[in-house]
């Protein structure tokens, strides 16, 4: 089951405060004016709303919801909407802070934003979910907009929900407004290639760093979280000749040293959980928390924040940790992994493929164009490779981690934008 406490509590630290430590650390590599750092220490705009909807049984129910526009120095803010029982203000602000850097790292003309509703979406019927999604847009319509703040899917929100949301927004403004939300169904102006973009982006980043990190052919890969992103990443890795040896979801985890079939895993997930495969053909059920420590070359946490922490970082056997989720490695665990010579590929680079193709979707909507799938993928590859190489070069030259280099790379672009806006 999904945990009903905040991941920031699970991880045992206030998320935004510890995320802000990245700012100071990046400023040691790329010094910026103190007033710029000061500005980036707090969100530009944060709104809290109560969403009240009618349930199918006729009763009213209210859910807390938030939307944060962290910083728009580089353009309209951009970031997903999460439906999860543990969503809280601290988490939304932290995710928006990370989005600010992610967009700067990929050089997208966006600032960072994020939204969330504290709800267990699985406990709602489809009609209740649609009412809640529409209520979210009504509550935050004054904050979002194609030139102001552009939401997208995140945990437990998908293209169907984005379709309802764009419909609600278009009704409010009285005109079709596809560019207000990305990750929409193709029929409403969604982009080809958006569905697998985040997993694909992570796959490209790893491929770009493969030589530098001496990634072996036929590498053993463990994926924590088998949702949208985890599935697409696993599929691409399998296709490239690597072996998926362990997978988990919120209901269980499995391990098989000789490799799991991704097709079978996807079918099992459709039945409810990857763990239904346990006991078949040498597949073992393992405790979900032990997935972090299975023998493998690449550990890809693709579920929630704070899943690799000080109590389990010592058990990691992988040489490479690819942060597909946002903030899956806590700061103290990050330091422990670094001391053990394990390379962490940071989230603001590893999972930036999703927002990059979201940007392509927004561009297509504004131009009234539809790009072929090959164009979307070629542009994604080109962008990811360019920025990965720049970050890798900076990390090598300055003898710093990929995370510090990525933050410094983003901070440089943010500081230039703040400076160019003038001082008055
Ligand atoms: P999703 O809802 O499709 O999948 C999440 C998966 O994690 C599910 O399979 C769920 O069962 C599993 N999970 C939940 N709790 C778990 C636990 N304790 N242990 C193991 N598995 C658990 O979400 P997603 O879109 O794949 O996103 C996953 C992560 O990636 C999130 O951190 C999200 O913010 C981040 N992310 C997603 C995108 C995107 O485009 N989808 C982009 C950037 C970052």
């Amino acid at each position: 089951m999904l945990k009903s406490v905040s991941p920031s509590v699970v991880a045992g630290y206030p998320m935004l405060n510890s995320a802000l430590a990245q700012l100071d650390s990046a400023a040691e590599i790329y010094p910026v004016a103190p007033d710029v750092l000061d500005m980036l220490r707090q969100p530009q705009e944060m709104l809290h709303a109560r969403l009240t909807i009618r349930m199918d049984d006729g009763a009213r129910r209210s859910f807390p919801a938030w939307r944060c526009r962290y910083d728009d120095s580089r353009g309209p803010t951009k970031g997903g909407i999460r439906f999860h029982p543990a969503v809280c203000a601290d988490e939304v602000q932290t995710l928006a802070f990370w989005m600010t850097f992610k967009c700067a790292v990929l050089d997208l003309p966006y600032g960072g934003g994020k939204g969330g509703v504290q709800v267990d979406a699985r406990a709602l019927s489809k009609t209740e979910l649609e009412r809640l999604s529409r209520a979210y847009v009504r509550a935050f319509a004054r904050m979002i907009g194609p030139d102001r703040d552009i939401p997208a899917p995140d945990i437990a929100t998908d293209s169907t929900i984005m379709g309802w949301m764009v419909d609600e927004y278009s009704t409010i403004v009285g005109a079709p407004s596809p560019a207000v939300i990305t990750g929409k169904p193709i029929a409403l102006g969604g982009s080809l290639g958006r569905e697998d973009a985040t997993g694909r982006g992570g796959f490209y980043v790893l491929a770009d760093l493969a030589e530098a990190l001496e990634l072996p052919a036929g590498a053993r890969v463990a994926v924590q979280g088998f949702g949208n992103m985890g599935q697409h990443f696993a599929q691409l890795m399998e296709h490239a000749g690597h072996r998926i040896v362990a997978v988990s979801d919120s209901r269980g985890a499995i391990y098989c040293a000789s490799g799991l079939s991704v097709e079978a895993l996807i079918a099992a997930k459709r039945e409810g959980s990857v763990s239904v495969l346990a006991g078949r053909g040498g597949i073992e059920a393992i405790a979900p928390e032990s997935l972090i420590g299975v023998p493998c070359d690449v550990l890809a946490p693709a579920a929630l924040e704070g899943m690799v922490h000080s109590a389990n970082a010592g058990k990691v056997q992988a040489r490479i940790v690819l942060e597909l989720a946002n903030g899956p490695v806590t700061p103290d665990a990050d330091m422990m992994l670094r001391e053990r010579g394990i390379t962490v590929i940071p989230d603001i680079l590893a999972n930036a493929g999703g927002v990059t193709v979201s940007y392509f979707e927004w561009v297509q909507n504004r131009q009234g164009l539809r790009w072929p799938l090959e164009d979307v993928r070629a542009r994604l590859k080109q962008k990811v490779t360019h920025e990965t190489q720049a970050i890798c070069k900076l990390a090598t030259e300055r003898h710093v981690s990929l995370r510090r280099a990525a933050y410094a790379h983003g901070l440089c672009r943010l500081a230039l934008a703040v400076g160019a806006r003038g001082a008055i």
Side-chain angles (χ1 to χ4, degrees):
M1 293 295 289
L2 289 171
K3 290 195 168 76
S4 60
V5 288
S6 161
S8 62
V9 175
V10 172
Y13 64 99
M15 287 175 73
L16 184 58
N17 273 353
S18 81
L20 288 177
Q22 298 296 338
L23 255 187
D24 299 316
S25 160
E28 286 168 18
I29 299 171
Y30 181 81
V32 298
D35 56 0
V36 174
L37 285 185
D38 217 40
M39 216 184 102
L40 291 173
R41 268 186 233 288
Q42 50 180 314
Q44 188 173 334
E45 195 178 1
M46 173 82 171
L47 196 61
H48 170 235
R50 180 193 65 206
L51 309 184
T52 303
I53 60 161
R54 187 75 71 181
M55 305 300 281
D56 292 345
D57 64 5
R60 283 186 199 85
R61 237 184 106 186
S62 298
F63 301 89
W66 294 266
R67 184 80 199 161
C68 176
R69 295 178 67 243
Y70 198 91
D71 179 78
D72 71 358
S73 303
R74 301 188 72 258
T77 47
K78 180 99 194 73
I81 300 171
R82 172 175 294 195
F83 287 179
H84 192 277
V87 167
C88 62
D90 183 38
E91 183 185 65
V92 170
Q93 291 184 140
T94 309
L95 289 161
F97 169 84
W98 285 331
M99 281 305 294
T100 306
F101 276 83
K102 201 182 294 181
C103 293
V105 161
L106 265 288
D107 203 13
L108 308 177
Y110 289 141
K114 203 76 183 191
V117 183
Q118 200 180 86
V119 59
D120 182 355
R122 293 177 311 183
L124 300 187
S125 70
K126 196 168 175 193
T127 48
E128 289 165 345
L129 199 57
E130 180 168 350
R131 277 183 224 123
L132 186 69
S133 307
R134 290 181 183 277
Y136 187 90
V137 173
R138 286 196 297 278
F140 295 100
R142 65 193 126 144
M143 199 162 179
I144 64 176
D147 291 307
R148 197 163 194 279
D149 179 40
I150 306 138
D154 194 76
I155 291 182
T157 53
D158 58 10
S159 59
T160 305
I161 291 178
M162 297 304 115
W164 297 330
M165 287 185 167
V166 82
D167 179 68
E168 189 67 26
Y169 186 82
S170 301
T171 306
I172 292 168
V173 299
S177 187
V180 67
I181 279 170
T182 59
K184 301 177 292 291
I186 303 290
L188 293 179
S191 177
L192 295 174
R194 174 62 185 87
E195 196 69 19
D196 73 353
T198 313
R200 182 172 289 276
F203 171 76
Y204 288 159
V205 171
L206 188 59
D208 288 332
L209 293 172
E211 205 181 310
L213 299 180
E214 295 173 13
L215 180 75
R220 297 158 305 157
V221 183
V223 182
Q224 181 193 50
F226 204 62
N228 171 26
M229 191 177 34
Q231 292 181 22
H232 288 118
F233 172 73
Q235 234 164 5
L236 288 161
M237 290 298 281
E238 182 185 59
H239 196 244
H242 301 297
R243 216 174 346 138
I244 310 300
V245 293
V247 166
S248 68
D249 58 31
S250 59
R251 294 190 164 104
I254 49 175
Y255 174 76
C256 182
S258 58
L260 296 152
S261 146
V262 176
E263 199 186 333
L265 287 166
I266 293 174
K269 183 73 181 161
R270 258 188 240 117
E271 280 179 48
S273 170
V274 292
S275 56
V276 302
L277 295 179
R280 297 184 206 166
I283 300 174
E284 282 173 55
I286 56 169
E289 52 286 2
S290 63
L291 179 126
I292 298 291
V294 298
C296 63
D297 300 296
V298 179
L299 170 65
L304 295 170
E305 298 87 9
M307 303 297 281
V308 183
H309 43 75
S310 55
N312 65 12
K315 298 182 180 145
V316 172
Q317 296 197 47
R319 281 194 310 104
I320 300 169
V321 175
L322 180 71
E323 289 191 320
L324 289 178
N326 289 309
V329 177
T330 64
D332 41 2
D334 198 39
M335 207 180 303
M336 289 167 69
L337 295 176
R338 189 163 159 72
E339 279 164 7
R340 292 181 54 213
I342 297 167
T343 301
V344 178
I345 305 178
D347 49 3
I348 56 169
L349 174 65
N351 70 27
V355 68
T356 303
V357 176
S358 271
Y359 162 60
F360 297 161
E361 179 175 333
W362 181 77
V363 170
Q364 291 170 75
N365 293 156
R366 293 170 76 92
Q367 296 185 329
L369 292 176
R370 275 194 195 281
W371 298 350
L373 182 60
E374 313 79 70
D375 282 19
V376 172
R377 289 190 177 158
R379 286 172 195 258
L380 173 64
K381 174 82 182 93
Q382 191 267 335
K383 229 173 184 344
V384 163
T385 299
H386 183 77
E387 303 303 340
T388 303
Q389 283 172 352
I391 290 165
C392 188
K393 183 164 175 275
L394 183 59
T396 310
E397 282 171 3
R398 302 296 298 266
H399 307 290
V400 295
S401 67
L402 289 170
R403 192 188 308 280
R404 270 185 91 186
Y407 272 91
H409 190 58
L411 181 60
C412 166
R413 288 182 175 145
L414 277 159
L416 287 172
V418 173
R421 282 175 162 236
I424 296 174

